[in-house]
PDB file of all heavy atoms in Angstrom:
ATOM      1  N   ALA A   1      -4.779   1.909  -5.297  1.00  0.00           N
ATOM      2  CA  ALA A   1      -3.881   1.614  -4.176  1.00  0.00           C
ATOM      3  C   ALA A   1      -3.673   0.105  -4.033  1.00  0.00           C
ATOM      4  O   ALA A   1      -2.565  -0.362  -3.756  1.00  0.00           O
ATOM      5  CB  ALA A   1      -4.440   2.203  -2.883  1.00  0.00           C
ATOM      6  N   PHE A   2      -4.730  -0.672  -4.239  1.00  0.00           N
ATOM      7  CA  PHE A   2      -4.622  -2.129  -4.138  1.00  0.00           C
ATOM      8  C   PHE A   2      -3.715  -2.710  -5.223  1.00  0.00           C
ATOM      9  O   PHE A   2      -3.141  -3.785  -5.044  1.00  0.00           O
ATOM     10  CB  PHE A   2      -6.009  -2.771  -4.224  1.00  0.00           C
ATOM     11  CG  PHE A   2      -6.698  -2.897  -2.898  1.00  0.00           C
ATOM     12  CD1 PHE A   2      -7.735  -2.043  -2.558  1.00  0.00           C
ATOM     13  CD2 PHE A   2      -6.298  -3.860  -1.981  1.00  0.00           C
ATOM     14  CE1 PHE A   2      -8.371  -2.153  -1.322  1.00  0.00           C
ATOM     15  CE2 PHE A   2      -6.928  -3.984  -0.749  1.00  0.00           C
ATOM     16  CZ  PHE A   2      -7.963  -3.119  -0.416  1.00  0.00           C
ATOM     17  N   LYS A   3      -3.569  -1.994  -6.326  1.00  0.00           N
ATOM     18  CA  LYS A   3      -2.751  -2.486  -7.443  1.00  0.00           C
ATOM     19  C   LYS A   3      -1.283  -2.080  -7.322  1.00  0.00           C
ATOM     20  O   LYS A   3      -0.463  -2.413  -8.173  1.00  0.00           O
ATOM     21  CB  LYS A   3      -3.328  -1.964  -8.766  1.00  0.00           C
ATOM     22  CG  LYS A   3      -4.673  -2.601  -9.110  1.00  0.00           C
ATOM     23  CD  LYS A   3      -5.277  -1.973 -10.363  1.00  0.00           C
ATOM     24  CE  LYS A   3      -6.654  -2.567 -10.645  1.00  0.00           C
ATOM     25  NZ  LYS A   3      -7.334  -1.879 -11.764  1.00  0.00           N
ATOM     26  N   MET A   4      -0.949  -1.334  -6.266  1.00  0.00           N
ATOM     27  CA  MET A   4       0.446  -0.919  -6.057  1.00  0.00           C
ATOM     28  C   MET A   4       1.332  -2.133  -5.791  1.00  0.00           C
ATOM     29  O   MET A   4       0.862  -3.145  -5.248  1.00  0.00           O
ATOM     30  CB  MET A   4       0.538   0.066  -4.876  1.00  0.00           C
ATOM     31  CG  MET A   4      -0.028   1.439  -5.189  1.00  0.00           C
ATOM     32  SD  MET A   4      -0.126   2.502  -3.705  1.00  0.00           S
ATOM     33  CE  MET A   4       1.629   2.747  -3.352  1.00  0.00           C
ATOM     34  N   PRO A   5       2.613  -2.054  -6.164  1.00  0.00           N
ATOM     35  CA  PRO A   5       3.517  -3.203  -5.953  1.00  0.00           C
ATOM     36  C   PRO A   5       3.724  -3.513  -4.468  1.00  0.00           C
ATOM     37  O   PRO A   5       3.657  -2.616  -3.623  1.00  0.00           O
ATOM     38  CB  PRO A   5       4.830  -2.751  -6.607  1.00  0.00           C
ATOM     39  CG  PRO A   5       4.756  -1.260  -6.654  1.00  0.00           C
ATOM     40  CD  PRO A   5       3.300  -0.928  -6.822  1.00  0.00           C
ATOM     41  N   LYS A   6       3.986  -4.774  -4.157  1.00  0.00           N
ATOM     42  CA  LYS A   6       4.195  -5.196  -2.765  1.00  0.00           C
ATOM     43  C   LYS A   6       5.315  -6.238  -2.684  1.00  0.00           C
ATOM     44  O   LYS A   6       5.197  -7.254  -2.014  1.00  0.00           O
ATOM     45  CB  LYS A   6       2.888  -5.719  -2.169  1.00  0.00           C
ATOM     46  CG  LYS A   6       2.133  -6.703  -3.046  1.00  0.00           C
ATOM     47  CD  LYS A   6       0.837  -7.157  -2.397  1.00  0.00           C
ATOM     48  CE  LYS A   6       0.085  -8.094  -3.319  1.00  0.00           C
ATOM     49  NZ  LYS A   6      -1.159  -8.604  -2.730  1.00  0.00           N
ATOM     50  N   GLU A   7       6.413  -5.923  -3.385  1.00  0.00           N
ATOM     51  CA  GLU A   7       7.558  -6.838  -3.434  1.00  0.00           C
ATOM     52  C   GLU A   7       8.488  -6.635  -2.240  1.00  0.00           C
ATOM     53  O   GLU A   7       9.014  -7.596  -1.687  1.00  0.00           O
ATOM     54  CB  GLU A   7       8.356  -6.637  -4.743  1.00  0.00           C
ATOM     55  CG  GLU A   7       7.539  -6.790  -6.021  1.00  0.00           C
ATOM     56  CD  GLU A   7       6.997  -8.190  -6.192  1.00  0.00           C
ATOM     57  OE1 GLU A   7       7.707  -9.154  -5.846  1.00  0.00           O
ATOM     58  OE2 GLU A   7       5.840  -8.323  -6.655  1.00  0.00           O
ATOM     59  N   THR A   8       8.705  -5.394  -1.852  1.00  0.00           N
ATOM     60  CA  THR A   8       9.621  -5.089  -0.755  1.00  0.00           C
ATOM     61  C   THR A   8       8.831  -4.595   0.457  1.00  0.00           C
ATOM     62  O   THR A   8       7.648  -4.251   0.353  1.00  0.00           O
ATOM     63  CB  THR A   8      10.628  -3.994  -1.158  1.00  0.00           C
ATOM     64  OG1 THR A   8       9.914  -2.768  -1.354  1.00  0.00           O
ATOM     65  CG2 THR A   8      11.354  -4.363  -2.445  1.00  0.00           C
ATOM     66  N   GLU A   9       9.514  -4.534   1.607  1.00  0.00           N
ATOM     67  CA  GLU A   9       8.850  -4.053   2.824  1.00  0.00           C
ATOM     68  C   GLU A   9       8.405  -2.603   2.658  1.00  0.00           C
ATOM     69  O   GLU A   9       7.318  -2.213   3.107  1.00  0.00           O
ATOM     70  CB  GLU A   9       9.796  -4.178   4.024  1.00  0.00           C
ATOM     71  CG  GLU A   9       9.097  -3.897   5.348  1.00  0.00           C
ATOM     72  CD  GLU A   9       9.994  -4.144   6.555  1.00  0.00           C
ATOM     73  OE1 GLU A   9      11.010  -4.849   6.405  1.00  0.00           O
ATOM     74  OE2 GLU A   9       9.665  -3.618   7.632  1.00  0.00           O
ATOM     75  N   LYS A  10       9.258  -1.805   1.992  1.00  0.00           N
ATOM     76  CA  LYS A  10       8.918  -0.397   1.754  1.00  0.00           C
ATOM     77  C   LYS A  10       7.648  -0.290   0.892  1.00  0.00           C
ATOM     78  O   LYS A  10       6.757   0.507   1.175  1.00  0.00           O
ATOM     79  CB  LYS A  10      10.082   0.313   1.076  1.00  0.00           C
ATOM     80  CG  LYS A  10       9.857   1.817   0.896  1.00  0.00           C
ATOM     81  CD  LYS A  10      10.979   2.462   0.099  1.00  0.00           C
ATOM     82  CE  LYS A  10      10.666   3.939  -0.127  1.00  0.00           C
ATOM     83  NZ  LYS A  10      11.636   4.581  -1.028  1.00  0.00           N
ATOM     84  N   GLN A  11       7.608  -1.094  -0.159  1.00  0.00           N
ATOM     85  CA  GLN A  11       6.443  -1.085  -1.045  1.00  0.00           C
ATOM     86  C   GLN A  11       5.178  -1.533  -0.300  1.00  0.00           C
ATOM     87  O   GLN A  11       4.103  -0.959  -0.482  1.00  0.00           O
ATOM     88  CB  GLN A  11       6.691  -1.995  -2.251  1.00  0.00           C
ATOM     89  CG  GLN A  11       7.672  -1.438  -3.266  1.00  0.00           C
ATOM     90  CD  GLN A  11       7.933  -2.398  -4.402  1.00  0.00           C
ATOM     91  OE1 GLN A  11       7.677  -3.598  -4.291  1.00  0.00           O
ATOM     92  NE2 GLN A  11       8.445  -1.878  -5.513  1.00  0.00           N
ATOM     93  N   ILE A  12       5.323  -2.527   0.549  1.00  0.00           N
ATOM     94  CA  ILE A  12       4.180  -3.025   1.329  1.00  0.00           C
ATOM     95  C   ILE A  12       3.639  -1.924   2.231  1.00  0.00           C
ATOM     96  O   ILE A  12       2.425  -1.706   2.320  1.00  0.00           O
ATOM     97  CB  ILE A  12       4.581  -4.271   2.156  1.00  0.00           C
ATOM     98  CG1 ILE A  12       4.815  -5.475   1.228  1.00  0.00           C
ATOM     99  CG2 ILE A  12       3.504  -4.610   3.192  1.00  0.00           C
ATOM    100  CD1 ILE A  12       5.487  -6.652   1.891  1.00  0.00           C
ATOM    101  N   ASN A  13       4.558  -1.204   2.896  1.00  0.00           N
ATOM    102  CA  ASN A  13       4.143  -0.114   3.796  1.00  0.00           C
ATOM    103  C   ASN A  13       3.484   1.033   3.042  1.00  0.00           C
ATOM    104  O   ASN A  13       2.476   1.582   3.489  1.00  0.00           O
ATOM    105  CB  ASN A  13       5.355   0.405   4.587  1.00  0.00           C
ATOM    106  CG  ASN A  13       5.838  -0.595   5.618  1.00  0.00           C
ATOM    107  OD1 ASN A  13       5.075  -1.446   6.065  1.00  0.00           O
ATOM    108  ND2 ASN A  13       7.111  -0.501   5.983  1.00  0.00           N
ATOM    109  N   GLU A  14       4.080   1.379   1.885  1.00  0.00           N
ATOM    110  CA  GLU A  14       3.518   2.464   1.062  1.00  0.00           C
ATOM    111  C   GLU A  14       2.133   2.087   0.543  1.00  0.00           C
ATOM    112  O   GLU A  14       1.217   2.907   0.531  1.00  0.00           O
ATOM    113  CB  GLU A  14       4.451   2.781  -0.104  1.00  0.00           C
ATOM    114  CG  GLU A  14       5.698   3.543   0.313  1.00  0.00           C
ATOM    115  CD  GLU A  14       6.675   3.758  -0.839  1.00  0.00           C
ATOM    116  OE1 GLU A  14       6.464   3.148  -1.925  1.00  0.00           O
ATOM    117  OE2 GLU A  14       7.648   4.514  -0.655  1.00  0.00           O
ATOM    118  N   ARG A  15       2.003   0.828   0.126  1.00  0.00           N
ATOM    119  CA  ARG A  15       0.716   0.345  -0.382  1.00  0.00           C
ATOM    120  C   ARG A  15      -0.331   0.362   0.728  1.00  0.00           C
ATOM    121  O   ARG A  15      -1.470   0.815   0.534  1.00  0.00           O
ATOM    122  CB  ARG A  15       0.883  -1.077  -0.932  1.00  0.00           C
ATOM    123  CG  ARG A  15      -0.404  -1.716  -1.431  1.00  0.00           C
ATOM    124  CD  ARG A  15      -0.094  -3.105  -2.005  1.00  0.00           C
ATOM    125  NE  ARG A  15      -1.300  -3.809  -2.409  1.00  0.00           N
ATOM    126  CZ  ARG A  15      -2.031  -4.579  -1.597  1.00  0.00           C
ATOM    127  NH1 ARG A  15      -1.659  -4.727  -0.318  1.00  0.00           N
ATOM    128  NH2 ARG A  15      -3.105  -5.199  -2.049  1.00  0.00           N
ATOM    129  N   SER A  16       0.056  -0.121   1.911  1.00  0.00           N
ATOM    130  CA  SER A  16      -0.868  -0.157   3.043  1.00  0.00           C
ATOM    131  C   SER A  16      -1.343   1.249   3.412  1.00  0.00           C
ATOM    132  O   SER A  16      -2.539   1.468   3.665  1.00  0.00           O
ATOM    133  CB  SER A  16      -0.180  -0.812   4.243  1.00  0.00           C
ATOM    134  OG  SER A  16      -1.054  -0.843   5.347  1.00  0.00           O
ATOM    135  N   LYS A  17      -0.406   2.191   3.430  1.00  0.00           N
ATOM    136  CA  LYS A  17      -0.765   3.581   3.754  1.00  0.00           C
ATOM    137  C   LYS A  17      -1.704   4.161   2.697  1.00  0.00           C
ATOM    138  O   LYS A  17      -2.688   4.838   3.019  1.00  0.00           O
ATOM    139  CB  LYS A  17       0.490   4.451   3.874  1.00  0.00           C
ATOM    140  CG  LYS A  17       0.174   5.888   4.315  1.00  0.00           C
ATOM    141  CD  LYS A  17       1.432   6.738   4.400  1.00  0.00           C
ATOM    142  CE  LYS A  17       1.095   8.143   4.921  1.00  0.00           C
ATOM    143  NZ  LYS A  17       0.083   8.847   4.137  1.00  0.00           N
ATOM    144  N   ALA A  18      -1.399   3.891   1.433  1.00  0.00           N
ATOM    145  CA  ALA A  18      -2.232   4.403   0.337  1.00  0.00           C
ATOM    146  C   ALA A  18      -3.652   3.829   0.412  1.00  0.00           C
ATOM    147  O   ALA A  18      -4.633   4.543   0.171  1.00  0.00           O
ATOM    148  CB  ALA A  18      -1.597   4.063  -1.009  1.00  0.00           C
ATOM    149  N   ILE A  19      -3.751   2.557   0.772  1.00  0.00           N
ATOM    150  CA  ILE A  19      -5.077   1.918   0.905  1.00  0.00           C
ATOM    151  C   ILE A  19      -5.860   2.567   2.040  1.00  0.00           C
ATOM    152  O   ILE A  19      -7.041   2.910   1.883  1.00  0.00           O
ATOM    153  CB  ILE A  19      -4.933   0.399   1.137  1.00  0.00           C
ATOM    154  CG1 ILE A  19      -4.450  -0.296  -0.146  1.00  0.00           C
ATOM    155  CG2 ILE A  19      -6.264  -0.213   1.591  1.00  0.00           C
ATOM    156  CD1 ILE A  19      -4.031  -1.742   0.034  1.00  0.00           C
ATOM    157  N   GLN A  20      -5.202   2.763   3.187  1.00  0.00           N
ATOM    158  CA  GLN A  20      -5.871   3.379   4.338  1.00  0.00           C
ATOM    159  C   GLN A  20      -6.286   4.826   4.032  1.00  0.00           C
ATOM    160  O   GLN A  20      -7.402   5.241   4.357  1.00  0.00           O
ATOM    161  CB  GLN A  20      -4.964   3.327   5.571  1.00  0.00           C
ATOM    162  CG  GLN A  20      -4.855   1.950   6.201  1.00  0.00           C
ATOM    163  CD  GLN A  20      -6.202   1.431   6.700  1.00  0.00           C
ATOM    164  OE1 GLN A  20      -6.853   2.048   7.539  1.00  0.00           O
ATOM    165  NE2 GLN A  20      -6.629   0.298   6.170  1.00  0.00           N
ATOM    166  N   ASP A  21      -5.397   5.567   3.398  1.00  0.00           N
ATOM    167  CA  ASP A  21      -5.729   6.947   3.005  1.00  0.00           C
ATOM    168  C   ASP A  21      -6.890   6.961   2.015  1.00  0.00           C
ATOM    169  O   ASP A  21      -7.779   7.816   2.084  1.00  0.00           O
ATOM    170  CB  ASP A  21      -4.505   7.638   2.376  1.00  0.00           C
ATOM    171  CG  ASP A  21      -3.423   7.965   3.406  1.00  0.00           C
ATOM    172  OD1 ASP A  21      -3.717   7.892   4.619  1.00  0.00           O
ATOM    173  OD2 ASP A  21      -2.286   8.279   2.989  1.00  0.00           O
ATOM    174  N   GLY A  22      -6.874   5.987   1.109  1.00  0.00           N
ATOM    175  CA  GLY A  22      -7.934   5.889   0.109  1.00  0.00           C
ATOM    176  C   GLY A  22      -9.287   5.616   0.748  1.00  0.00           C
ATOM    177  O   GLY A  22     -10.291   6.236   0.388  1.00  0.00           O
ATOM    178  N   TYR A  23      -9.298   4.711   1.719  1.00  0.00           N
ATOM    179  CA  TYR A  23     -10.561   4.399   2.409  1.00  0.00           C
ATOM    180  C   TYR A  23     -11.067   5.593   3.219  1.00  0.00           C
ATOM    181  O   TYR A  23     -12.274   5.810   3.334  1.00  0.00           O
ATOM    182  CB  TYR A  23     -10.393   3.183   3.317  1.00  0.00           C
ATOM    183  CG  TYR A  23     -10.616   1.866   2.607  1.00  0.00           C
ATOM    184  CD1 TYR A  23      -9.633   0.874   2.598  1.00  0.00           C
ATOM    185  CD2 TYR A  23     -11.814   1.602   1.955  1.00  0.00           C
ATOM    186  CE1 TYR A  23      -9.840  -0.340   1.951  1.00  0.00           C
ATOM    187  CE2 TYR A  23     -12.030   0.395   1.299  1.00  0.00           C
ATOM    188  CZ  TYR A  23     -11.047  -0.574   1.307  1.00  0.00           C
ATOM    189  OH  TYR A  23     -11.253  -1.769   0.644  1.00  0.00           O
ATOM    190  N   LYS A  24     -10.128   6.360   3.781  1.00  0.00           N
ATOM    191  CA  LYS A  24     -10.550   7.557   4.533  1.00  0.00           C
ATOM    192  C   LYS A  24     -11.210   8.568   3.603  1.00  0.00           C
ATOM    193  O   LYS A  24     -12.240   9.160   3.939  1.00  0.00           O
ATOM    194  CB  LYS A  24      -9.353   8.191   5.252  1.00  0.00           C
ATOM    195  CG  LYS A  24      -8.951   7.437   6.506  1.00  0.00           C
ATOM    196  CD  LYS A  24      -7.842   8.160   7.272  1.00  0.00           C
ATOM    197  CE  LYS A  24      -7.525   7.439   8.573  1.00  0.00           C
ATOM    198  NZ  LYS A  24      -6.464   8.116   9.347  1.00  0.00           N
TER     199      LYS A  24
END
């Protein structure tokens, strides 16, 4: 999840959600 792209706002949000889901 940390390696997901973060170029656009959509990508940033998707990455953030994936990280939070991953930690859960």
Side-chain angles (χ1 to χ4, degrees):
F2 272 105
K3 291 175 183 174
M4 288 172 67
K6 47 181 178 178
E7 304 296 322
T8 67
E9 189 175 341
K10 185 185 176 187
Q11 287 177 341
I12 290 168
N13 290 336
E14 286 175 350
R15 177 178 176 272
S16 179
K17 184 181 183 304
I19 289 169
Q20 286 298 301
D21 288 347
Y23 273 123
K24 283 185 176 180

